[in-house]
Amino acid sequence: VTLRFVTRNQHKLKEATSILSQYGISIVMENSINKVEIQSDSLEEIVNYALRLNCVDWLVVEDDGLFVDSLNGFPGPYSEYVYRTIGLRGLLRLLQGSRDRGAYFKSVVGLCINNEVKLFTGIVKGRLSEEPRGSSGFGYDPVFIPEGYDLTFAEMGEDLKNKLSHRSRAFNNLATYLTRIN
Ligand code: ITT
Ligand code: NA
């Protein structure tokens, strides 16, 4: 099968393509369908709603967020808006003086199959850097350091990020599910 990823984010598509290729699963961008994004504190609810309206087999939607511990999970589902408004430096400023720099990325991937939505999640724990570092990847990659490492996702480069990321964990769960039902 070929999965159809309803997204406008080329980086997400590229990472998903490389993760799924290890399972022999292909995925392409589906841009003729509009991703309807409700506002919600729950990534699961956002993904479920986006797919439920128009559940066609093999459609995939993913929603992500960066959840900062000392900010009680902010920006979470509002990560894209926060990135566009206050940006990386604005987010780091909110952590000034805080000793707890813990944060995690969460990905929720939804798949339509037999007119049903299946959800797969992935989390990577880590912490926020003091300064943005590195130039690969996208979004919050320059400020996120995964647990067990000292490099940010943006300093690691794609291959290592793809072994550790929230996205790889969620898509690995999806791939495992597909291999099991086949
Ligand atoms: P869609 O078209 O698929 O909705 P999007 O860019 O709006 O793409 P999301 O809502 O899923 O993506 O993600 C929200 C934001 O979280 C995204 O814009 C990034 O700023 C950030 N983000 C998500 N995954 C990330 C990753 O792997 N590394 C860094 N930042 C990430
Ligand atoms: Na989004």
Side-chain angles (χ1 to χ4, degrees):
V1 299
T2 297
L3 305 178
R4 293 153 61 202
F5 195 177
V6 182
T7 182
R8 296 201 190 138
N9 187 322
Q10 295 280 359
H11 301 279
K12 285 169 58 169
L13 176 74
K14 190 168 178 230
E15 291 181 8
T17 303
S18 132
I19 295 155
L20 291 171
S21 71
Q22 296 170 293
Y23 299 88
I25 299 169
S26 51
I27 187 163
V28 296
M29 186 180 274
E30 174 56 76
N31 48 22
S32 69
I33 293 173
N34 195 34
K35 181 183 175 196
V36 178
E37 270 187 64
I38 57 162
Q39 212 171 77
S40 164
D41 291 356
S42 152
L43 296 175
E44 283 86 353
E45 215 169 83
I46 295 168
V47 170
N48 199 50
Y49 190 91
L51 280 174
R52 212 179 49 205
L53 287 177
N54 182 19
C55 197
V56 176
D57 275 4
W58 311 121
L59 284 186
V60 167
V61 160
E62 181 198 1
D63 220 68
D64 308 287
L66 176 70
F67 296 76
V68 179
D69 298 343
S70 68
L71 304 176
N72 299 320
F74 178 86
Y78 308 99
S79 294
E80 200 253 344
Y81 182 71
V82 167
Y83 182 82
R84 277 192 287 118
T85 50
I86 63 172
L88 298 181
R89 290 188 186 275
L91 180 68
L92 293 182
R93 219 171 289 132
L94 297 179
L95 284 195
Q96 264 172 18
S98 160
R99 291 181 55 204
D100 177 7
R101 304 190 67 84
Y104 66 92
F105 269 122
K106 180 173 176 181
S107 162
V108 176
V109 172
L111 167 73
C112 274
I113 182 163
N114 302 323
N115 288 309
E116 254 188 81
V117 180
K118 299 270 180 206
L119 298 182
F120 305 91
T121 65
I123 282 177
V124 57
K125 289 188 190 173
R127 64 183 201 276
L128 295 184
S129 61
E130 303 283 343
E131 291 282 311
R133 299 191 322 242
S135 57
S136 85
F138 70 103
Y140 295 93
D141 283 344
V143 298
F144 185 80
I145 304 170
E147 222 166 63
Y149 293 81
D150 289 313
L151 299 175
T152 66
F153 269 168
E155 291 177 306
M156 287 183 170
E158 278 169 37
D159 288 352
L160 186 51
K161 180 188 172 187
N162 279 343
K163 290 203 173 81
L164 307 170
S165 77
H166 53 311
R167 178 163 301 102
S168 76
R169 291 178 176 161
F171 276 100
N172 281 327
N173 289 336
L174 178 151
T176 304
Y177 168 79
L178 287 180
T179 348
R180 214 182 292 130
I181 64 166
N182 261 311

